Amino acid sequence: MLFHVEMTVNLPPDMPEEQAAEIKATEKAYSQTLQQKGTWRHLWRVAGSYSNVSIFDVRDNDELQRIISGLPLFPYMEIRVRPLCRHPSSIRDDDS
């Protein structure tokens, strides 16, 4: 199943920079592993904000919940999830 996920990060202003840098590094490694597996299909930065738009390819809602809640930045995120399905007017049969 494909999901469109919008994530906005809101780190506390008083979080020590060293702690923020450590969480961000751990988050980057976690997300890159999922991208290499093909689970985190696409990842785009939203210009001018600490937000991203991502496409996940997972078995079901439970797998997506497990992945998202495992993000090191999860406690500091606002997240919006939308399930996706193929549009009947699409000229492609796949995601190319």
Side-chain angles (χ1 to χ4, degrees), residues 1-2 6-7 11 21 30 32 34 41-42 44 49 51-52 57 70-72 74-75 77 81 88-89 96:
M1 295 179 67
L2 295 178
E6 296 175 41
M7 297 179 248
L11 292 176
Y30 181 74
Q32 288 180 342
L34 291 168
R41 184 83 64 89
H42 299 281
W44 294 279
S49 67
S51 302
N52 75 67
D57 188 357
L71 292 166
F74 177 75
M77 289 182 171
V81 176
S89 296
S96 62

Side-chain angles (χ1 to χ4, degrees), residues 2 41 83-96:
L2 295 178
R41 184 83 64 89
L84 299 174
C85 60
R86 183 138 325 273
H87 194 285
S89 296
S90 176
I91 62 169
R92 292 175 174 60
D93 293 329
D94 58 17
D95 295 324
S96 62

Side-chain angles (χ1 to χ4, degrees), residues 2-69:
L2 295 178
F3 290 89
H4 172 274
V5 181
E6 296 175 41
M7 297 179 248
T8 300
V9 179
N10 297 301
L11 292 176
D14 60 345
M15 177 180 280
E17 184 55 40
E18 184 177 296
Q19 181 184 1
E22 184 178 326
I23 292 171
K24 291 175 188 179
T26 305
E27 177 96 4
K28 182 176 183 177
Y30 181 74
S31 71
Q32 288 180 342
T33 298
L34 291 168
Q35 290 173 68
Q36 290 166 350
K37 290 180 179 180
T39 302
W40 197 322
R41 184 83 64 89
H42 299 281
L43 173 59
W44 294 279
R45 169 74 69 206
V46 176
S49 67
Y50 194 0
S51 302
N52 75 67
V53 173
S54 297
I55 303 296
F56 286 86
D57 188 357
V58 294
R59 262 186 324 278
D60 53 29
N61 296 338
D62 290 335
E63 183 180 11
L64 181 64
Q65 176 63 31
R66 182 184 54 75
I67 288 168
I68 290 175
S69 63

